[in-house]
Amino acid sequence: MNNTLNNLQWPDAGRVHLANVNVPRGLLDPSIEPAGCSGLTRVDLVLDQGTIAQILPAGSPTDGALVDADGGQCWPTFADLHTHLDKGHIWPRAHNPDGTIDSARTHVRADTTHYWRTEDVEARFEFALMSAYAHGTSAIRTHLDCYVPSQERISFDVFRRLRDRWAGRVELQAVALVSTDLYDDGRNAALVGLVQESGGLLGGVTFRLSDGDDTQPLDGRLDRLFGLARARRMNVDLHVDENGAAASTTLAQIAQAVMRADFQGRVVCGHCCSLSVQEDAVAARTIGLVKDAGITLVSLPLVNQYLQGRRPGATPRWRGIPLLRELQAAGVPVVLASDNCRDPYHAFGDLDLLEVLGGGIRLGHLDTDLAEWPGAITRRPFEAMGVQGGVLRVGSPADLVLFRERSHSELFARRGAGRVVIRHGKRIDAAPPDYRTLDHLFRADIEKRTAP
Ligand SMILES: [Zn+2]
């Protein structure tokens, strides 16, 4: 059989010779000799019984049912390090009238109280998994709101059930999202126990809004958080400095707390927007501390350009993202992720990491160093999650995303429309689910009033 990606019928064969693919250089086993230009290496892949059996120079003799990609790109499947699958898709009944983060918080809290029963959370959560899977994602970490009393039982129960149901398709992790003072209160040991027995991570929100805020209480809370995480052998994933206030320097405090505790677990800090509005010397010192502490930084470009810089009737003047290029240049692992989709924190989004990466490239001027950035939705988030994946190497599962487009210019211009997703050597149905399948969760009159 001789197939091209133009009119692809993926062969129903145990051994497939996928010829002439362009792979971003950082996503290929480093032992493979680079061949090609623009940060892409052209190779042939031989897939056998669902794994990558060989990586050969492009144009090698055919070994298996042939699919000729004709230079189209081939990536490993994606990992989404920071999402909120419990909140997703509530937009028809919970919108955001002024687009601010304060309104988002208020409307989500009200929606949680009124609607977040098991059936509601599970339907929206699974819809999100179906979308992400169809776009080519094979690992997701979600934060789960634990603010409204008893919500944690419902949300972690849904998480565990869906983690089991989706095993082998999407690797799922969950983080408890709380205010960090929760770990000061011994009465909340039950929540920590629930998170631990669910295999989850400890999370929370840190920020400062003015120079007058005392930094000492947060130091104490962070010491207790990392002490608790170390005692229970749990990893930590925090929401950090999600604002445009130069005084918000809690990222540096977190890095220092990690080192004070000699914490050996994995630490991820998300958002960190305020880094971009600080004096160069302050930002450089913080970046150095983050590097020394071994923290992975995850930026949420689509959501933070949506939420940050909102002023009534005014156009935003800043982009809401942290200093992506400076962090990366300093050797900090930088990841890009989806964050919120179709909820009051972000009216749009579909858990498509290629859209996220394309947005990050445009917002952060990452196009001058494109070889580095495909790793931000593949290799680096897999490493941060401690999950195998994100690099094409012999012996790893044949979990691939194939694009007709050859160069990065072609790929990000068309945003990967028509991509082909291969899981364990087989092609999957790469169509996201129909929004109508969620209609039963929303009263028609509310939907009509709030649709954008
Ligand atoms: Zn978030």
Side-chain angles (χ1 to χ4, degrees), residues 217-344:
L218 179 60
D219 279 340
R221 285 176 195 150
L222 291 169
D223 287 344
R224 287 185 283 279
L225 165 62
F226 287 111
L228 181 64
R230 187 167 62 177
R232 293 187 177 242
R233 298 177 177 275
M234 297 171 77
N235 294 318
V236 174
D237 190 327
L238 297 167
H239 278 65
V240 180
D241 296 328
E242 190 178 4
N243 56 59
S248 199
T249 54
T250 71
L251 179 58
Q253 280 182 267
I254 293 165
Q256 289 172 308
V258 169
M259 291 188 278
R260 226 173 17 246
D262 191 24
F263 185 68
Q264 299 299 313
R266 289 191 170 92
V267 181
V268 173
C269 289
H271 299 288
C272 310
C273 311
S274 66
L275 197 59
S276 288
V277 296
Q278 292 162 1
E279 298 288 337
D280 287 349
V282 174
R285 173 179 171 273
T286 298
I287 290 170
L289 290 169
V290 169
K291 163 75 175 144
D292 291 346
I295 291 171
T296 294
L297 192 138
V298 57
S299 172
L300 301 310
L302 300 186
V303 170
N304 282 136
Q305 56 93 31
Y306 179 88
L307 286 174
Q308 295 296 310
R310 289 267 180 178
R311 292 170 299 144
T315 304
R317 296 189 181 203
W318 80 296
R319 300 181 182 213
I321 52 173
L323 295 172
L324 297 173
R325 302 182 67 190
E326 290 82 348
L327 286 155
Q328 181 69 17
V332 175
V334 181
V335 170
L336 301 175
S338 291
D339 209 13
N340 300 72
C341 291
R342 299 187 67 241
D343 67 34

Side-chain angles (χ1 to χ4, degrees), residues 40-64:
L40 296 161
T41 296
R42 190 179 276 229
V43 294
D44 287 2
L45 301 177
V46 178
L47 316 179
D48 191 49
Q49 311 303 328
T51 63
I52 298 174
Q54 292 187 78
I55 302 176
L56 303 168
S60 291
T62 304
D63 179 8

